[in-house]
Amino acid sequence: MRARYKPWAADLIESHPEIIIPDPENFRGRWHEVFGNDHPLHIEAGTGKGRFIIGMAKANPEVNYIGIELFDSVIVTALERVLEEPAGVPNLRLLRVNAKDLGEYFQQGEVDRLYLNFSDPWPKTRHAKRRLTHESFLKLYETVLPSEGEIHFKTDNRGLFEYSLTSISEYGMLLKDVSLDLHANEPEWNIMTEYEEKFLKKGQPIYRLEAQFQSN
Amino acid sequence: MRARYKPWAADLIESHPEIIIPDPENFRGRWHEVFGNDHPLHIEAGTGKGRFIIGMAKANPEVNYIGIELFDSVIVTALERVLEEPAGVPNLRLLRVNAKDLGEYFQQGEVDRLYLNFSDPWPKTRHAKRRLTHESFLKLYETVLPSEGEIHFKTDNRGLFEYSLTSISEYGMLLKDVSLDLHANEPEWNIMTEYEEKFLKKGQPIYRLEAQFQSN
């Protein structure tokens, strides 16, 4: 998700290192020190404006959350939303880094669950490698999740979801749960993203899956 | 699929043993003798009124087809449709048997591909065992297909398709292809079933998957 260039974004981001960690490579293997507890760690690759990850963090105080987003112009909105919270969101941090470098910031087994929400569909076949459910990304996620770690994925994009089902199966992962219209029987634990609300209002179905790596 | 009781159906069925094989257990392991060639054999469990299997047989003369349907009142319509074909449908036979007894009529590796189309969804959880993609049925199909044999499955029923994706994955099968709206880009090889046309006209998406057994 890109947004208009915001020249003030970099300054605001740098003035809040307690939320957007400026040197995340230094915490590889010791994120529990940042949070000051041993709660499980769930991350979202492609956090966008942060609605999902902030909602999850508020709803689940016994879990630590990290949202990862590359673009200043987008992550700054997530930051502003955290700052608007009167009591803050103590179990949430943000990283302004590229999801393809996850392995630099987390060690094997350090991330208990990975969320992917409304990732860029990259519809052209020649761009398939950029889809966040491409084999190369699944391989990357496997390096930071524990054995039998889970990925939870939501999208409105039919083509991306079709691709993801086969890519995940081909990788040898187990499909634990699939919904082809999440809001037909919306689970009470569901937290909507910005895109999700937008597409829901248009009457488009939201697709969701949970998949698990298999230990060999 | 059940239809109104047709007292004349049994007579018509019995008078066409060249199409509806009366003693299929006698041909276990030697269906190629019935067809008089060594073409691959594809079967459909739950053939209903036969539109799909007749269409496939006419479109693919180099493949042999067997449609399986339990109910006289339904299979008789498939029979009538075959009889209406001026040149007949030489590469098609019908069996009036229960799909759960497949193993009595086919030996391991004898069926090259299995089609499941618009099977009864059995939506209640306590009836899950009756769904044709339940683990017990997958185990059955594995006894008649070769290693790496394929199942091709279509349905309009979202709940059944969601269930089938996880059931098939859980069984250790590989998802080769998934479509969540078959008619959005309908492949030229697609042959519609009666249900498919009906639901398509209502604007409902048709779900389809291809899954493959994995050799260990």
Side-chain angles (χ1 to χ4, degrees):
Chain A
M1 189 199 296
R2 293 177 201 239
R4 194 178 310 185
Y5 176 63
K6 296 172 183 167
W8 47 269
D11 280 351
L12 186 63
I13 287 167
E14 279 162 32
S15 64
H16 287 285
E18 81 287 5
I19 299 168
I20 302 193
I21 310 292
D23 49 354
E25 60 281 5
N26 292 342
F27 297 101
R28 185 174 188 275
R30 39 195 206 92
W31 283 100
H32 62 280
E33 293 177 21
V34 173
F35 289 101
N37 61 48
D38 283 324
H39 296 173
L41 178 61
H42 294 185
I43 69 175
E44 184 187 23
T47 279
K49 296 178 182 172
R51 175 167 163 178
F52 175 81
I53 201 83
I54 294 168
M56 290 296 278
K58 289 171 68 181
N60 304 288
E62 74 296 350
V63 175
N64 296 324
Y65 291 91
I66 292 181
I68 292 172
E69 173 59 47
L70 185 57
F71 298 107
D72 279 13
S73 54
V74 180
I75 202 171
V76 73
T77 301
L79 173 60
E80 290 175 312
R81 287 179 176 174
V82 173
L83 295 172
E84 282 166 13
E85 293 288 331
V89 190
N91 57 332
L92 173 64
R93 297 295 184 280
L94 301 171
L95 305 189
R96 187 183 41 159
V97 300
N98 196 322
K100 75 176 173 52
D101 303 321
L102 271 185
E104 294 180 24
Y105 312 115
F106 302 97
Q107 71 177 22
Q108 175 79 54
E110 190 169 15
V111 176
D112 294 279
R113 186 180 293 170
L114 173 69
Y115 289 100
L116 301 172
N117 292 314
F118 298 85
S119 313
D120 194 324
W122 293 107
K124 290 178 183 163
T125 304
R126 66 188 161 89
H127 290 152
K129 285 190 177 180
R130 302 185 191 182
R131 297 174 193 154
L132 289 190
T133 49
H134 183 271
E135 177 189 6
S136 59
F137 278 101
L138 299 178
K139 194 173 285 188
L140 171 65
Y141 306 150
E142 201 171 16
T143 68
V144 300
L145 287 160
S147 66
E148 307 192 2
E150 291 185 8
I151 296 176
H152 293 198
F153 173 55
K154 286 197 281 194
T155 184
D156 65 297
N157 190 281
R158 179 162 50 80
L160 179 63
F161 200 70
E162 291 168 343
Y163 169 85
S164 301
L165 285 166
T166 55
S167 175
I168 281 169
S169 174
E170 190 91 43
Y171 195 76
M173 295 183 78
L174 182 67
L175 289 169
K176 303 271 289 182
D177 191 55
V178 178
S179 173
L180 302 175
D181 188 355
L182 182 61
H183 295 272
N185 301 292
E186 187 178 355
E188 30 86 19
W189 44 256
N190 187 53
I191 302 280
M192 283 206 275
T193 77
E194 285 85 359
Y195 280 123
E196 188 167 347
E197 183 164 42
K198 182 175 132 188
F199 291 117
L200 179 63
K201 281 182 180 167
K202 286 187 184 174
Q204 291 180 233
I206 303 299
Y207 306 104
R208 182 178 180 280
L209 66 82
E210 296 181 8
Q212 187 176 44
F213 288 103
Q214 305 264 59
S215 51
N216 291 315
Chain B
M1 188 197 298
R2 293 177 201 239
R4 194 178 310 186
Y5 176 63
K6 296 171 183 166
W8 45 270
D11 281 352
L12 186 62
I13 288 167
E14 278 162 33
S15 63
H16 287 284
E18 79 289 5
I19 298 170
I20 302 192
I21 309 292
D23 50 353
E25 60 281 4
N26 292 344
F27 297 101
R28 187 174 187 273
R30 38 193 206 93
W31 283 100
H32 62 279
E33 293 177 22
V34 174
F35 289 101
N37 61 48
D38 283 322
H39 295 174
L41 177 62
H42 294 186
I43 67 175
E44 184 186 24
T47 278
K49 296 177 181 172
R51 177 167 163 178
F52 175 81
I53 201 82
I54 294 168
M56 289 296 277
K58 288 171 67 181
N60 304 288
E62 75 296 348
V63 175
N64 295 326
Y65 291 91
I66 292 180
I68 292 171
E69 174 59 48
L70 185 57
F71 298 107
D72 278 14
S73 53
V74 181
I75 202 171
V76 74
T77 301
L79 172 60
E80 289 174 313
R81 286 178 177 174
V82 173
L83 295 172
E84 282 165 13
E85 293 289 329
V89 190
N91 58 331
L92 173 65
R93 297 295 184 281
L94 301 172
L95 305 189
R96 186 182 43 157
V97 301
N98 197 322
K100 75 176 172 53
D101 303 321
L102 271 185
E104 294 180 23
Y105 312 114
F106 302 97
Q107 71 178 22
Q108 175 78 56
E110 189 168 15
V111 176
D112 293 279
R113 184 180 294 169
L114 173 68
Y115 289 99
L116 301 172
N117 291 314
F118 298 84
S119 313
D120 195 322
W122 292 107
K124 290 179 185 164
T125 304
R126 67 189 161 90
H127 290 151
K129 285 190 175 178
R130 302 185 191 181
R131 298 173 193 155
L132 290 190
T133 49
H134 183 272
E135 178 190 7
S136 59
F137 279 103
L138 299 179
K139 193 173 286 188
L140 171 66
Y141 307 150
E142 202 171 14
T143 67
V144 300
L145 287 159
S147 65
E148 306 193 0
E150 292 184 7
I151 295 176
H152 293 199
F153 173 55
K154 287 197 280 194
T155 184
D156 64 297
N157 191 281
R158 179 162 50 80
L160 179 62
F161 200 70
E162 292 167 343
Y163 169 83
S164 301
L165 285 165
T166 54
S167 175
I168 282 170
S169 174
E170 190 90 43
Y171 194 76
M173 294 183 77
L174 182 67
L175 289 168
K176 303 271 289 182
D177 192 54
V178 178
S179 174
L180 302 175
D181 188 356
L182 182 62
H183 294 272
N185 301 292
E186 187 178 355
E188 29 88 18
W189 44 254
N190 187 53
I191 301 280
M192 284 206 275
T193 78
E194 284 86 359
Y195 279 124
E196 188 168 348
E197 183 164 43
K198 181 175 132 188
F199 292 117
L200 178 64
K201 281 182 179 166
K202 286 188 185 174
Q204 291 180 234
I206 303 300
Y207 307 103
R208 182 178 180 280
L209 67 81
E210 296 181 8
Q212 187 175 46
F213 287 102
Q214 304 265 58
S215 50
N216 291 315

